Structure formats: C-alpha cells, structure tokens
Amino acid sequence: MTDRKSPLAPFKHETFRTIWIASLSSNFGSLIQAVGAAWMMTTISNSVDMVALVQASTALPIMLFSLISGALADNFNRRRVMLVAQSFMLGVSVLLTIFAYFSLITPWLLLTFTFLLGCGTALNNPSWQASVGDMVPRENLPEAVALNSMGFNLTRSVGPAIGGLIVAVAGAAAAFAVNAVSYLPLIFALLRWQPQYPPNPLPREALGRAVSAGLRYVAMSPNIGKVVFRGFVFGFSASAVLALLPLVARDLVGGGPLVYGTMLGSFGIGAIGGALLSARLREFLTSEAIVRIAFAGFAVSATIAALSPSAWTTNAGLLSAGACWVLALSLFNVTVQLSTPRWVVGRALSLYQTTTFGGIAGGSWLWGVAAAEYGADKALLASSVVMLLGAVIGLRYALPEFKTLNLDPLNRFSEPLLALDLKPRSGPIVIMIDYVIAEEDVPEFLAVMADRRRVRIRDGAGHWALMRDLENPEIWTESYHTPTWVEYVRHNQRRTQADAAIGDRIRALHRGVTDPRVHRMIERQTILPHDIAAHKTPIDMS
C-alpha cells in the first residue's frame, strides 16, 4: 500500500504526530467536561430545554465568531492564534472548576462558562484546521483530516464513560479540573512548533475587508456553497441525538451519568470505525453516496434511540450514529480544503463551520423545545424525518467529488513600474485589458470570459464588465475595479495554478500581434473652477 493510500501516512510528519498526540489529551478533557456540564444541568435544573442548551451554548459561539476567527487565521500567525485560544480556555476551565467546587454554579452561570469555552473553540478551530495543510503535504490531507476525526473519537469512545465515572464518584468539579489540566500538553506542543510561513510583503487585510473577501470567495465557488448548505442541514438534524442524549439516558432507559457516559462512548467507538472506513468507502462510492448513507444511517439511529427501552439497544444504534457523523463531517471538511487555496482556507473552513455549528446550535435548541413540549422520543422521531429529507436534498445539491486542482499560487504577476508615485492606499484603480478576437471565436471567447468574471470577482475585483468596440468589432475590452493599488496587487497574487488555464485559453483566442494590452488607471474626480476656492484644505491626490 502506498503512503498516499495509507490512513496513517500523516504520522510520518513529526509536527502533525506531536500535535495530534497532544490533542488527544485536550479532547479527552473536553469530553469529560461536557459530561460534567450536561449532567450538572440535570441536577440544578428541571427544565429539559436548559439541558439541551448546554450543547447549544457551546456551538453558538462557533456560529457567531468563526468567520472572524477564520479571517484572523488567514492574516495572523496561526500557531499564535491557537496558543491564545488554548490559554483562554485553560483560564475559563480553572474558573469553572472553582465555582463548581464551592457550589456557586447556577443554570445560567453554567451556560455562561460553556459559552466562553465555545468562544475559545471558535477562535481555535479555523487556525487548527487550516494548519493541517501546513503540517502535511496536500496529497495526505484527506488522511490527516480523518486521523483528526479518529483522534477525537478515540477519546470520545472512553472519555465520556470515564467522565461519567468521575462525575458519579467525585462530582462535576473534578471533571472540570481534569479538563483544565488537559490543555497543558497541547499548549506545550504548540510552543515547540515553529512553522515557516511564506513571507507576505503586503500589509494585512483589514478585518472587515478580510471577512468580506471570505464571503465573496465562497459565494463565487458553487462547489463550496453546496458543502456549506449540506453541512447546515446535517448539523441541524443530527444535533437532536447528542443534544437529547442526557434525557435518553435518564428518561427513556432509566439510567444515570454512567449510562450517559457509555452512550457517548458508543457514539465515539462508532466514529472511530467511520474514520477507518472512510478511505476504503471512497474507493467504491462517490462522496454524495457516502453522505446520503450518513444521513439515512443517522435517521435510523435516532429512531432506535426514540423507541428503545434498553440501554444496550440504544448503544448499538449509537455505534452507527457515530460512524455516520464522522463520514459526513470529514467529507465536508476535506472537500472544502481541497477546493480552497491557502490564502483563504481559514475563512472557507470557518464559514463551513459557522453554518454547520449554526445548524447544531439551532437544532439543539429546537429539539430541546420539542422534547419539553412533546417528549424526547417524539423529538427524536421528528429529527429522523429531517435527516431523511437531508439525504433527498442530495438529488439537487450533490456533493462534488474530490478534485486534484493545483491551488498553489500562480506567481506570474510582477508589480509593474509606474510613472506616478502611488501609495498603497491610492485608488480606486481601474484595469482595462484589450483583446483582438476573430468573429468565429466569439462564442468560445464569451464562454471563457464567464469563467474569467467569476474568478475576478471571487478574488476581489469589482464592477467587472466586458465591452465590444462599435467601430472595431474585433476589439473586446475587459474592465474591473479595485479599491486601492495594494488591493490590485493582492488580487493578482491570489491567482492559482488552476486559474492559469482560463488565462491560457483567452490568450489562445487573442489574434493580436502582441499580448493583450493592459491599461492600469487611477480614477479621479474633476473640480469645476468656481469650486476650487471653496476648498480650504489641500486635496489628497494620492
């Protein structure tokens, strides 16, 4: 078996191996903390929707703040962003332990702490997931993402059960203390890692502009849009099982915290199996077929949880749910990463996470309300119907297959020498490119320019237009604007090797004796003579 097909190939890279092992400790502690928080809520509140809000309060910050975190991941040192996030979560966990130990926790205070931990996760996740591509070669990325899922679910298979045991023997405060300690190995591993990021001579994007660039890129990338939509539907429907699992353990099978922990453990064991099977399944099935199986399998598991009075039967169903969870989410994640260049991968992943965890947060709340009104069994049955609808949606919005696009920077652009002394903030900049196109090539030219328009807008251009000369019909002019000169340079540096095919096709259609002529101009407003005297301060012509 070649390294590329081996599910363990990423472990040959020391950085990935070290941080993966350290992450096991952090994931282990987080799952123990989740058991403690969920079970503590059942002891301090009789409201079933408050129990469901424990999961929602953790997922909500990911929905609210992940896009900003993705912009930070693409514009700052990702290692440092992760260190800040891990240190913040360590501090919150220490405070939660103290408050729980002295019996100062109320339902809303518990939700506040879990919300703050979710904020740390929201800050950490885009940088962590985007950093996987910095630790392993692109050809090992699917295996690395699957290994991350497997690592999390290795801890899920035993962590919740141990968490339930800790809560039953020593109380929730002990579970929170274990979580606080679990951050230390990962912080140490991140301090040792010294990644070599390529230098970027351009200034950082402003936060608002960086967020807009991420939204624009996803909006102009139809394949990523499909993944984002399907991720939302999956998160919304599948969240019912995990959000209502404490009620399933307590009310439907009559168990305690240890039973709840073993149920989460069964879910984790199933997820490990799903991670190990993922690469094998991709050899025989399309990505869309695997995702439909995941939706349907989760629906069956939710139905079993709703109808079964036996913890053993429910655990068996949760094995399938865990496998389906990893199969779907790992495919979504890998598809986004393989469809996105490095300059925007943090923002693309964060938008995917925002919608997916937004679905989880909204679904957790909605299914909790439904359980309070109609019972946990009815809510689970309703969620299973939505899961089946999620599989049917694939008939219209099928998940794209993995593609071997080369999304490395094209590096063909050289900043031209200018006669005017422009500052980086000078603008607006107007670009006009003249092409000579024979009449018989016009249909093909228009088709190629449709792709060129999408790429231009995706990479930051505005006011794109294609014009034809009325006196010389063989001359066509492409025009677009950028706000400033530095944004024009940034726009050209974002082109990838895969984008080069579009430019090559256009140049092949160009019939001019020289290359297409590029006009780079700065837009200026005129001032009438009688208005000049009205200006009391100099006009900035930069």
PDB file of all heavy atoms in Angstrom, residues 508-531:
ATOM      1  N   ALA A 508      -4.988  32.148 -26.130  1.00  0.00           N
ATOM      2  CA  ALA A 508      -5.012  31.346 -27.364  1.00  0.00           C
ATOM      3  C   ALA A 508      -6.016  31.896 -28.371  1.00  0.00           C
ATOM      4  O   ALA A 508      -5.832  31.737 -29.587  1.00  0.00           O
ATOM      5  CB  ALA A 508      -5.356  29.893 -27.021  1.00  0.00           C
ATOM      6  N   LEU A 509      -7.066  32.543 -27.875  1.00  0.00           N
ATOM      7  CA  LEU A 509      -8.075  33.128 -28.766  1.00  0.00           C
ATOM      8  C   LEU A 509      -7.682  34.521 -29.245  1.00  0.00           C
ATOM      9  O   LEU A 509      -8.245  35.023 -30.225  1.00  0.00           O
ATOM     10  CB  LEU A 509      -9.426  33.199 -28.042  1.00  0.00           C
ATOM     11  CG  LEU A 509     -10.070  31.859 -27.666  1.00  0.00           C
ATOM     12  CD1 LEU A 509     -11.299  32.083 -26.788  1.00  0.00           C
ATOM     13  CD2 LEU A 509     -10.457  31.075 -28.921  1.00  0.00           C
ATOM     14  N   HIS A 510      -6.746  35.155 -28.563  1.00  0.00           N
ATOM     15  CA  HIS A 510      -6.324  36.519 -28.903  1.00  0.00           C
ATOM     16  C   HIS A 510      -5.551  36.513 -30.220  1.00  0.00           C
ATOM     17  O   HIS A 510      -4.591  35.763 -30.394  1.00  0.00           O
ATOM     18  CB  HIS A 510      -5.466  37.076 -27.766  1.00  0.00           C
ATOM     19  CG  HIS A 510      -4.866  38.411 -28.048  1.00  0.00           C
ATOM     20  ND1 HIS A 510      -5.620  39.553 -28.228  1.00  0.00           N
ATOM     21  CD2 HIS A 510      -3.548  38.803 -28.188  1.00  0.00           C
ATOM     22  CE1 HIS A 510      -4.819  40.576 -28.452  1.00  0.00           C
ATOM     23  NE2 HIS A 510      -3.555  40.152 -28.437  1.00  0.00           N
ATOM     24  N   ARG A 511      -5.981  37.364 -31.193  1.00  0.00           N
ATOM     25  CA  ARG A 511      -5.355  37.388 -32.519  1.00  0.00           C
ATOM     26  C   ARG A 511      -4.432  38.595 -32.718  1.00  0.00           C
ATOM     27  O   ARG A 511      -3.978  38.835 -33.836  1.00  0.00           O
ATOM     28  CB  ARG A 511      -6.448  37.421 -33.597  1.00  0.00           C
ATOM     29  CG  ARG A 511      -7.367  36.206 -33.596  1.00  0.00           C
ATOM     30  CD  ARG A 511      -6.638  34.933 -33.963  1.00  0.00           C
ATOM     31  NE  ARG A 511      -7.521  33.782 -33.991  1.00  0.00           N
ATOM     32  CZ  ARG A 511      -8.176  33.373 -35.079  1.00  0.00           C
ATOM     33  NH1 ARG A 511      -8.060  34.047 -36.208  1.00  0.00           N
ATOM     34  NH2 ARG A 511      -8.956  32.305 -35.031  1.00  0.00           N
ATOM     35  N   GLY A 512      -4.151  39.334 -31.680  1.00  0.00           N
ATOM     36  CA  GLY A 512      -3.276  40.487 -31.825  1.00  0.00           C
ATOM     37  C   GLY A 512      -1.836  40.084 -32.057  1.00  0.00           C
ATOM     38  O   GLY A 512      -1.410  38.977 -31.713  1.00  0.00           O
ATOM     39  N   VAL A 513      -1.040  41.005 -32.632  1.00  0.00           N
ATOM     40  CA  VAL A 513       0.373  40.709 -32.907  1.00  0.00           C
ATOM     41  C   VAL A 513       1.192  40.732 -31.624  1.00  0.00           C
ATOM     42  O   VAL A 513       2.297  40.179 -31.580  1.00  0.00           O
ATOM     43  CB  VAL A 513       0.941  41.717 -33.928  1.00  0.00           C
ATOM     44  CG1 VAL A 513       0.248  41.552 -35.275  1.00  0.00           C
ATOM     45  CG2 VAL A 513       0.784  43.161 -33.434  1.00  0.00           C
ATOM     46  N   THR A 514       0.669  41.397 -30.574  1.00  0.00           N
ATOM     47  CA  THR A 514       1.324  41.407 -29.272  1.00  0.00           C
ATOM     48  C   THR A 514       0.356  40.842 -28.233  1.00  0.00           C
ATOM     49  O   THR A 514      -0.809  40.560 -28.537  1.00  0.00           O
ATOM     50  CB  THR A 514       1.742  42.830 -28.865  1.00  0.00           C
ATOM     51  OG1 THR A 514       0.571  43.662 -28.774  1.00  0.00           O
ATOM     52  CG2 THR A 514       2.701  43.428 -29.900  1.00  0.00           C
ATOM     53  N   ASP A 515       0.843  40.674 -27.018  1.00  0.00           N
ATOM     54  CA  ASP A 515      -0.032  40.204 -25.937  1.00  0.00           C
ATOM     55  C   ASP A 515      -1.165  41.200 -25.706  1.00  0.00           C
ATOM     56  O   ASP A 515      -1.060  42.386 -26.070  1.00  0.00           O
ATOM     57  CB  ASP A 515       0.770  40.033 -24.644  1.00  0.00           C
ATOM     58  CG  ASP A 515       1.711  38.847 -24.699  1.00  0.00           C
ATOM     59  OD1 ASP A 515       1.472  37.951 -25.537  1.00  0.00           O
ATOM     60  OD2 ASP A 515       2.683  38.821 -23.913  1.00  0.00           O
ATOM     61  N   PRO A 516      -2.269  40.750 -25.097  1.00  0.00           N
ATOM     62  CA  PRO A 516      -3.350  41.696 -24.772  1.00  0.00           C
ATOM     63  C   PRO A 516      -2.806  42.888 -24.000  1.00  0.00           C
ATOM     64  O   PRO A 516      -1.996  42.744 -23.070  1.00  0.00           O
ATOM     65  CB  PRO A 516      -4.295  40.851 -23.912  1.00  0.00           C
ATOM     66  CG  PRO A 516      -4.066  39.451 -24.362  1.00  0.00           C
ATOM     67  CD  PRO A 516      -2.609  39.370 -24.686  1.00  0.00           C
ATOM     68  N   ARG A 517      -3.259  44.085 -24.389  1.00  0.00           N
ATOM     69  CA  ARG A 517      -2.731  45.297 -23.759  1.00  0.00           C
ATOM     70  C   ARG A 517      -3.495  45.587 -22.473  1.00  0.00           C
ATOM     71  O   ARG A 517      -4.729  45.561 -22.459  1.00  0.00           O
ATOM     72  CB  ARG A 517      -2.850  46.487 -24.710  1.00  0.00           C
ATOM     73  CG  ARG A 517      -2.233  47.750 -24.133  1.00  0.00           C
ATOM     74  CD  ARG A 517      -2.326  48.917 -25.074  1.00  0.00           C
ATOM     75  NE  ARG A 517      -1.751  50.106 -24.440  1.00  0.00           N
ATOM     76  CZ  ARG A 517      -1.795  51.324 -24.974  1.00  0.00           C
ATOM     77  NH1 ARG A 517      -2.385  51.501 -26.160  1.00  0.00           N
ATOM     78  NH2 ARG A 517      -1.264  52.344 -24.331  1.00  0.00           N
ATOM     79  N   VAL A 518      -2.737  45.864 -21.414  1.00  0.00           N
ATOM     80  CA  VAL A 518      -3.327  46.146 -20.107  1.00  0.00           C
ATOM     81  C   VAL A 518      -3.181  47.631 -19.809  1.00  0.00           C
ATOM     82  O   VAL A 518      -2.068  48.178 -19.863  1.00  0.00           O
ATOM     83  CB  VAL A 518      -2.645  45.321 -19.001  1.00  0.00           C
ATOM     84  CG1 VAL A 518      -3.286  45.619 -17.651  1.00  0.00           C
ATOM     85  CG2 VAL A 518      -2.729  43.826 -19.314  1.00  0.00           C
ATOM     86  N   HIS A 519      -4.302  48.310 -19.501  1.00  0.00           N
ATOM     87  CA  HIS A 519      -4.303  49.703 -19.086  1.00  0.00           C
ATOM     88  C   HIS A 519      -4.572  49.737 -17.582  1.00  0.00           C
ATOM     89  O   HIS A 519      -5.616  49.260 -17.126  1.00  0.00           O
ATOM     90  CB  HIS A 519      -5.405  50.503 -19.804  1.00  0.00           C
ATOM     91  CG  HIS A 519      -5.369  50.384 -21.292  1.00  0.00           C
ATOM     92  ND1 HIS A 519      -4.681  51.254 -22.111  1.00  0.00           N
ATOM     93  CD2 HIS A 519      -5.948  49.469 -22.121  1.00  0.00           C
ATOM     94  CE1 HIS A 519      -4.839  50.897 -23.370  1.00  0.00           C
ATOM     95  NE2 HIS A 519      -5.607  49.818 -23.411  1.00  0.00           N
ATOM     96  N   ARG A 520      -3.648  50.294 -16.833  1.00  0.00           N
ATOM     97  CA  ARG A 520      -3.833  50.455 -15.388  1.00  0.00           C
ATOM     98  C   ARG A 520      -4.005  51.938 -15.114  1.00  0.00           C
ATOM     99  O   ARG A 520      -3.086  52.729 -15.330  1.00  0.00           O
ATOM    100  CB  ARG A 520      -2.632  49.888 -14.629  1.00  0.00           C
ATOM    101  CG  ARG A 520      -2.371  48.405 -14.896  1.00  0.00           C
ATOM    102  CD  ARG A 520      -1.119  47.917 -14.181  1.00  0.00           C
ATOM    103  NE  ARG A 520      -0.868  46.506 -14.453  1.00  0.00           N
ATOM    104  CZ  ARG A 520      -0.124  46.059 -15.460  1.00  0.00           C
ATOM    105  NH1 ARG A 520       0.436  46.920 -16.305  1.00  0.00           N
ATOM    106  NH2 ARG A 520       0.052  44.762 -15.644  1.00  0.00           N
ATOM    107  N   MET A 521      -5.176  52.294 -14.590  1.00  0.00           N
ATOM    108  CA  MET A 521      -5.508  53.699 -14.416  1.00  0.00           C
ATOM    109  C   MET A 521      -6.034  53.946 -13.008  1.00  0.00           C
ATOM    110  O   MET A 521      -6.566  53.036 -12.365  1.00  0.00           O
ATOM    111  CB  MET A 521      -6.552  54.126 -15.450  1.00  0.00           C
ATOM    112  CG  MET A 521      -6.027  54.082 -16.890  1.00  0.00           C
ATOM    113  SD  MET A 521      -7.301  54.367 -18.129  1.00  0.00           S
ATOM    114  CE  MET A 521      -8.090  52.754 -18.155  1.00  0.00           C
ATOM    115  N   ILE A 522      -5.867  55.184 -12.555  1.00  0.00           N
ATOM    116  CA  ILE A 522      -6.434  55.591 -11.275  1.00  0.00           C
ATOM    117  C   ILE A 522      -7.575  56.554 -11.544  1.00  0.00           C
ATOM    118  O   ILE A 522      -7.459  57.465 -12.373  1.00  0.00           O
ATOM    119  CB  ILE A 522      -5.355  56.218 -10.360  1.00  0.00           C
ATOM    120  CG1 ILE A 522      -5.930  56.491  -8.974  1.00  0.00           C
ATOM    121  CG2 ILE A 522      -4.758  57.482 -10.973  1.00  0.00           C
ATOM    122  CD1 ILE A 522      -4.873  56.809  -7.918  1.00  0.00           C
ATOM    123  N   GLU A 523      -8.666  56.346 -10.876  1.00  0.00           N
ATOM    124  CA  GLU A 523      -9.866  57.150 -11.099  1.00  0.00           C
ATOM    125  C   GLU A 523      -9.753  58.470 -10.347  1.00  0.00           C
ATOM    126  O   GLU A 523      -9.332  58.504  -9.185  1.00  0.00           O
ATOM    127  CB  GLU A 523     -11.098  56.370 -10.616  1.00  0.00           C
ATOM    128  CG  GLU A 523     -12.422  56.980 -10.997  1.00  0.00           C
ATOM    129  CD  GLU A 523     -13.572  56.087 -10.564  1.00  0.00           C
ATOM    130  OE1 GLU A 523     -13.818  55.079 -11.247  1.00  0.00           O
ATOM    131  OE2 GLU A 523     -14.185  56.393  -9.523  1.00  0.00           O
ATOM    132  N   ARG A 524     -10.102  59.574 -10.997  1.00  0.00           N
ATOM    133  CA  ARG A 524     -10.043  60.885 -10.383  1.00  0.00           C
ATOM    134  C   ARG A 524     -11.322  61.671 -10.667  1.00  0.00           C
ATOM    135  O   ARG A 524     -11.894  61.565 -11.759  1.00  0.00           O
ATOM    136  CB  ARG A 524      -8.836  61.681 -10.906  1.00  0.00           C
ATOM    137  CG  ARG A 524      -7.516  61.202 -10.288  1.00  0.00           C
ATOM    138  CD  ARG A 524      -7.498  61.541  -8.804  1.00  0.00           C
ATOM    139  NE  ARG A 524      -6.353  60.970  -8.114  1.00  0.00           N
ATOM    140  CZ  ARG A 524      -6.409  59.906  -7.343  1.00  0.00           C
ATOM    141  NH1 ARG A 524      -7.546  59.259  -7.196  1.00  0.00           N
ATOM    142  NH2 ARG A 524      -5.347  59.466  -6.715  1.00  0.00           N
ATOM    143  N   GLN A 525     -11.730  62.489  -9.701  1.00  0.00           N
ATOM    144  CA  GLN A 525     -12.892  63.352  -9.846  1.00  0.00           C
ATOM    145  C   GLN A 525     -12.436  64.733 -10.308  1.00  0.00           C
ATOM    146  O   GLN A 525     -11.397  65.237  -9.883  1.00  0.00           O
ATOM    147  CB  GLN A 525     -13.634  63.469  -8.516  1.00  0.00           C
ATOM    148  CG  GLN A 525     -14.147  62.146  -7.967  1.00  0.00           C
ATOM    149  CD  GLN A 525     -15.180  61.508  -8.860  1.00  0.00           C
ATOM    150  OE1 GLN A 525     -15.990  62.209  -9.478  1.00  0.00           O
ATOM    151  NE2 GLN A 525     -15.166  60.185  -8.944  1.00  0.00           N
ATOM    152  N   THR A 526     -13.213  65.348 -11.183  1.00  0.00           N
ATOM    153  CA  THR A 526     -12.899  66.706 -11.633  1.00  0.00           C
ATOM    154  C   THR A 526     -13.552  67.717 -10.707  1.00  0.00           C
ATOM    155  O   THR A 526     -14.588  67.448 -10.084  1.00  0.00           O
ATOM    156  CB  THR A 526     -13.400  66.936 -13.064  1.00  0.00           C
ATOM    157  OG1 THR A 526     -14.817  66.714 -13.106  1.00  0.00           O
ATOM    158  CG2 THR A 526     -12.704  65.981 -14.032  1.00  0.00           C
ATOM    159  N   ILE A 527     -12.935  68.925 -10.643  1.00  0.00           N
ATOM    160  CA  ILE A 527     -13.460  70.004  -9.811  1.00  0.00           C
ATOM    161  C   ILE A 527     -13.605  71.247 -10.681  1.00  0.00           C
ATOM    162  O   ILE A 527     -12.653  71.681 -11.338  1.00  0.00           O
ATOM    163  CB  ILE A 527     -12.520  70.314  -8.630  1.00  0.00           C
ATOM    164  CG1 ILE A 527     -12.350  69.049  -7.776  1.00  0.00           C
ATOM    165  CG2 ILE A 527     -13.046  71.471  -7.792  1.00  0.00           C
ATOM    166  CD1 ILE A 527     -11.385  69.238  -6.634  1.00  0.00           C
ATOM    167  N   LEU A 528     -14.783  71.802 -10.720  1.00  0.00           N
ATOM    168  CA  LEU A 528     -15.032  72.996 -11.516  1.00  0.00           C
ATOM    169  C   LEU A 528     -14.270  74.183 -10.939  1.00  0.00           C
ATOM    170  O   LEU A 528     -14.060  74.270  -9.721  1.00  0.00           O
ATOM    171  CB  LEU A 528     -16.526  73.301 -11.544  1.00  0.00           C
ATOM    172  CG  LEU A 528     -17.393  72.214 -12.218  1.00  0.00           C
ATOM    173  CD1 LEU A 528     -18.862  72.593 -12.121  1.00  0.00           C
ATOM    174  CD2 LEU A 528     -16.991  72.029 -13.666  1.00  0.00           C
ATOM    175  N   PRO A 529     -13.832  75.156 -11.809  1.00  0.00           N
ATOM    176  CA  PRO A 529     -13.021  76.279 -11.324  1.00  0.00           C
ATOM    177  C   PRO A 529     -13.653  77.041 -10.175  1.00  0.00           C
ATOM    178  O   PRO A 529     -12.980  77.407  -9.221  1.00  0.00           O
ATOM    179  CB  PRO A 529     -12.871  77.159 -12.574  1.00  0.00           C
ATOM    180  CG  PRO A 529     -12.992  76.198 -13.715  1.00  0.00           C
ATOM    181  CD  PRO A 529     -13.983  75.170 -13.271  1.00  0.00           C
ATOM    182  N   HIS A 530     -14.987  77.276 -10.230  1.00  0.00           N
ATOM    183  CA  HIS A 530     -15.600  78.074  -9.182  1.00  0.00           C
ATOM    184  C   HIS A 530     -15.709  77.312  -7.859  1.00  0.00           C
ATOM    185  O   HIS A 530     -16.025  77.896  -6.826  1.00  0.00           O
ATOM    186  CB  HIS A 530     -16.985  78.563  -9.604  1.00  0.00           C
ATOM    187  CG  HIS A 530     -17.979  77.448  -9.778  1.00  0.00           C
ATOM    188  ND1 HIS A 530     -18.134  76.790 -10.981  1.00  0.00           N
ATOM    189  CD2 HIS A 530     -18.837  76.863  -8.897  1.00  0.00           C
ATOM    190  CE1 HIS A 530     -19.077  75.861 -10.850  1.00  0.00           C
ATOM    191  NE2 HIS A 530     -19.512  75.874  -9.591  1.00  0.00           N
ATOM    192  N   ASP A 531     -15.434  75.968  -7.910  1.00  0.00           N
ATOM    193  CA  ASP A 531     -15.473  75.180  -6.677  1.00  0.00           C
ATOM    194  C   ASP A 531     -14.110  75.129  -5.988  1.00  0.00           C
ATOM    195  O   ASP A 531     -14.019  74.774  -4.814  1.00  0.00           O
ATOM    196  CB  ASP A 531     -15.915  73.734  -6.961  1.00  0.00           C
ATOM    197  CG  ASP A 531     -17.385  73.670  -7.354  1.00  0.00           C
ATOM    198  OD1 ASP A 531     -18.133  74.567  -6.909  1.00  0.00           O
ATOM    199  OD2 ASP A 531     -17.741  72.730  -8.089  1.00  0.00           O
TER     200      ASP A 531
END
